[in-house]
Structures are given as structure tokens and as C-alpha cells.
Amino acid sequence: MRRYLVPVLLSLLACDDDDARGVVTLDSAVVGPSMDAFVNPDQDATCATSTLTDFDDDGFTRTWGDCNDCDRNIGPAAYDFPGNGIDEDCDGRDATLVDQICDTTLDDDDLEPLDAMRAFGLCGPRNSAASGRQGLNAVSLLRLDASKQGLADPRQLWLPERFGQILPREGARMLVLSTGVARDSKARDYTPECDVFGGMLDTGSAWAGGVPPPKGFPRDSRACGNKPISTGALAYDDVVVELELRAPFNASAFSFDSMFLTYEYPDFVCSQYNDFFVVLMDPAPDQADDNDNILFDANEDAIGVNSALLSVCETAEPRRVARTIACEQGKDLLKDTGYGAKEATCGAPRNGKDLGGAATGWLHTEMPVRAGRTFTLRFVLWDSGDPLLDSTVLLDNFRWLNTAPSGNTVPISSR
């Protein structure tokens, strides 16, 4: 039956927070079990002329602010995709990219989780978590060890306007996470040495303080010939950012950009010291790997020093690196990040040329999501095997999409 709204009953209306579309429903306990006894005063109207009937079944009539009752992707609870010439949320104009920026008032050292999300490009709910407009329900900074709260060290998070020579992908800032101190070499509290938070040598030569990594990890890389080198490697200095999101009812996918930097290059390529960065999604789409990870290279290897996507570096002599890495993007992007040559003692070789570390360059990930569905994303970074050589991740440019997603991760330099 077509949904219509009688003005005299407007005071009886209530919002159903569990409805993925923010649909407004009538409280049957107040008005009775059925609408059949009421006469539709709008019965001769069409979707273009109706004021009281919800023709597109999105929970809003024209009287309630729906500016296009012929299209259920347009209405007061819709997400307004910027720059497409369509006013999806019926506020009188199409959103612009500038409207999506919410990180201009942040400081580098803001530690509130919601501030971190603003730097990432997620601005939080505009009205309520159930409105469907922005989709961010909750965010937490966690550890892999559930008994420990928050980060091991607050300096593992940073919201800079630039990281070395690297600029944000959107807005004024980006989110930086690190297994060490998340600072570039120009920051006042930059630490050139390797940072260890909680790990310590036991009575032998092994490190204590490690915890099990996420289920299914560590795992060996196809780029390294799938040699069994990672079995049993524990996680150290881990950082976990967990998001609970609700996809807008008119969205079909989401995307984000990321960059991985590591000191493990070149001397520990294809070793057990393969620091990992994964993004775990629940419920996971079909495009995720067997461990619900949605961030991986063309070989389906997770992002780390052993990934085929590592391409920002200074080429190492063959004797120092266990597989061929072409360094297609050169080394310039590493300048002033702390991962450039001779910028840090962490990772610097005792013998041989100091090449600095390596990075993937900016990567772009797109994944599908069911409209209106609540899901979680866990961004997890950790040192693998020991807590010594640090790795860092840059995150930015989270976006909701209403187009078919690629379902993979590709270097932005190749797009």
C-alpha cells in the first residue's frame, strides 16, 4: 500500500532508528493496526505533484522536505555526493568538495578519535547516527590485546598538514599512524631512533611483550615465493583504529587512500620481519581475502615490506635485497619523512650505504557495501617479529560512492 501522511496525525509520527533509510513510520499502537480505514487525500496525485504521499518510499513526502518524490535516492536523509549536479539531500544546492572538508580547525596533536576521523575525511553525523547522511556511528583507538586500552603511546597518532613532502589527498590534514613515533623529520618531537613501546628482550635473545596478530596473520608473501618465513611471528607496537559505519541508503560503496612506509627495506625484505598494515571489514564483501582483509596487492598479499606495491625507494644492490624491487616511483617522496636516506638511525645499516626506508606511494581502495548496512572497519598496523624497525601509515580521503567500485587497491600513480 502506498504510504501517505495525514496532517492531523503528524504529532503521532516517530523515527525508526533501525531503518537503514531513516524511514518515518506511524506508531501502530497509537493509530491502530492498519491504515486501511483512512482515505488518501492525495489519491489523484503523481510523484511529481504529490505533497502527502511518499511515492518513492524513502520515508519523506514533499511536505516533509522531499524535493524529488520520484527518486528514492533523493530526500532529506540522503547523502549528497559532491559535484554531480544533483541536490540529493534537498538542502537547495549540490554539495561541493569544500563542503566535505571538516579538518581545517584541527591541531597536529589532537588525540580525540573523532578528530582523527575528520583528518581521514569522515566528518561524523550531521543530524544523528541513524540519519544515513554521514555514516559514522563510533570510532575507537585500540590495541590487539583487548585487556589494554588506547594506544601504547599517544605519539603513535598525528594529524599533520603534510608528512615530509607528502600532502593530504583531501582537506587540510591527514591521519598518520605508526608503530613508532608518528612524526616526520621536521617535527619538534621527531625521534630518529627506533621506538619500542612495551617490548623488551627476555633472558635470551628473543623479544617479550608480543601478542598474537589478527586471525590469519602473519602470512607469507607470493612476491617472496610463499616461503614459510612468517610462522609464529608475534605483533608488537600495534595500533588499531576501529570504526562502526552505517552506509548511507543511497551509497553503493566507499573508498579511501593510504600509504605504507617502513624501515624494514632493504635488509629485511622476504624475512619474518614483515610489518603489516591490514584493513579488516565485518561483514566482509566477496572481494575481501580469506581473512576479511580488504587492502592487498594484485598477488593478494597484504600490505607490508614484502608487498609487490612497495615502489618508493632507492634501488638496493642485489646482495642486500631478497627479491627484485624496481623502485618505479623513485625516492623523492621519502624526503623529510624520516624514511629518507640518512634521516634516521632506525633502519640505517651498520655496513653499506644508507638507502633509507621504502613506501608504497598513495594507494586507492574501493569496496562495495550494502546500502544502509552497519559494518565495522579495523585499520591495524603492527611490527612483526620484533618491535624494532618502525612502520608508518598515512590515511586520507574517505568517500562514500554511488558508483560501481573496483573492489581492489591500486597505486594512485597508475590511475
Side-chain angles (χ1 to χ4, degrees):
M1 185 182 69
R2 183 73 64 189
R3 182 179 291 130
Y4 63 92
L5 305 174
V6 183
V8 72
L9 296 177
L10 293 183
S11 63
L12 302 179
L13 293 169
C15 288
D16 178 3
D17 279 352
D18 291 329
D19 192 315
R21 295 172 296 143
V23 169
V24 178
T25 59
L26 286 169
D27 185 347
S28 61
V30 176
V31 300
S34 172
M35 289 288 292
D36 293 341
F38 294 94
V39 177
N40 184 355
D42 214 20
Q43 59 186 344
D44 295 327
T46 67
C47 67
T49 63
S50 170
T51 58
L52 298 176
T53 304
D54 181 13
F55 271 90
D56 59 9
D57 214 25
D58 66 355
F60 293 89
T61 67
R62 289 185 182 276
T63 299
W64 279 30
D66 192 342
C67 56
N68 185 344
D69 208 30
C70 299
D71 188 340
R72 69 182 306 271
N73 290 315
I74 297 176
Y79 181 83
D80 199 355
F81 296 96
N84 63 357
I86 302 173
D87 174 22
E88 282 103 343
D89 64 358
C90 296
D91 68 351
R93 65 184 182 89
D94 180 29
T96 67
L97 289 175
V98 174
D99 294 328
Q100 308 298 305
I101 296 172
C102 56
D103 58 5
T104 56
T105 61
L106 301 179
D107 293 325
D108 290 2
D109 299 326
D110 283 340
L111 294 177
E112 290 295 328
L114 283 176
D115 290 337
M117 291 302 95
R118 292 184 182 102
F120 184 30
L122 262 169
C123 297
R126 287 169 58 178
N127 289 339
S128 69
S131 72
R133 282 183 167 178
Q134 298 295 333
L136 179 61
N137 286 353
V139 55
S140 302
L141 302 178
L142 305 170
R143 304 281 300 280
L144 287 172
D145 183 347
S147 69
K148 297 179 180 179
Q149 300 296 315
L151 304 179
D153 190 289
R155 296 172 297 170
Q156 289 180 275
L157 183 147
W158 200 35
L159 312 179
E161 294 178 319
R162 63 191 304 149
F163 191 79
Q165 305 298 311
I166 303 168
L167 297 175
R169 291 285 299 155
E170 64 84 29
R173 296 179 182 272
M174 68 187 96
L175 171 58
V176 182
L177 307 172
S178 183
T179 62
V181 173
R183 303 292 186 270
D184 64 23
S185 63
K186 298 299 184 181
R188 66 182 184 278
D189 47 355
Y190 169 69
T191 57
E193 66 275 7
C194 298
D195 302 299
V196 176
F197 305 122
M200 61 186 71
L201 281 171
D202 63 18
T203 53
S205 59
W207 284 89
V211 298
K215 183 180 179 181
F217 295 93
R219 67 187 196 207
D220 296 312
S221 168
R222 290 172 177 80
C224 297
N226 275 336
K227 298 176 182 178
I229 54 180
S230 297
T231 303
L234 295 177
Y236 298 84
D237 296 342
D238 51 285
V239 180
V240 181
V241 178
E242 181 175 282
L243 311 183
E244 181 184 277
L245 297 163
R246 191 172 196 172
F249 76 80
N250 57 334
S252 58
F254 65 91
S255 67
F256 62 89
D257 299 337
S258 62
M259 185 187 303
F260 175 81
L261 305 95
T262 183
Y263 288 125
E264 301 287 358
Y265 175 87
D267 298 304
F268 296 96
V269 172
C270 293
S271 76
Q272 66 172 316
Y273 305 109
N274 176 23
D275 296 353
F276 282 94
F277 174 57
V278 300
V279 182
L280 309 177
M281 185 172 173
D282 182 25
D286 292 341
Q287 289 84 347
D289 65 20
D290 292 340
N291 305 121
D292 296 339
N293 174 40
I294 62 171
L295 183 64
F296 45 82
D297 61 25
N299 295 326
E300 297 186 0
D301 290 331
I303 300 304
V305 67
N306 294 342
S307 168
L309 290 173
L310 205 71
S311 61
V312 179
C313 47
E314 183 173 347
T315 304
E317 57 268 36
R319 65 179 179 83
R320 284 187 61 185
V321 65
R323 68 175 177 86
T324 301
I325 298 179
C327 300
E328 297 97 331
Q329 296 190 58
K331 62 181 180 179
D332 292 347
L333 201 63
L334 298 174
K335 180 176 172 56
D336 297 332
T337 64
Y339 289 87
K342 300 180 180 179
E343 293 182 359
T345 56
C346 185
R350 295 179 180 178
N351 298 300
K353 183 180 179 181
D354 183 353
L355 303 179
T360 59
W362 280 114
L363 306 175
H364 181 75
T365 302
E366 295 182 1
M367 283 289 153
V369 69
R370 277 180 52 184
R373 166 171 278 187
T374 296
F375 63 101
T376 61
L377 293 178
R378 286 171 59 91
F379 297 81
V380 191
L381 172 69
W382 72 94
D383 284 338
S384 188
D386 67 34
L388 289 178
L389 275 64
D390 302 323
S391 295
T392 294
V393 167
L394 314 182
L395 290 167
D396 204 10
N397 201 29
F398 183 95
R399 289 284 181 261
W400 295 112
L401 307 175
N402 60 351
T403 54
S406 65
N408 59 21
T409 295
V410 295
I412 287 177
S413 61
S414 69
R415 295 179 74 215

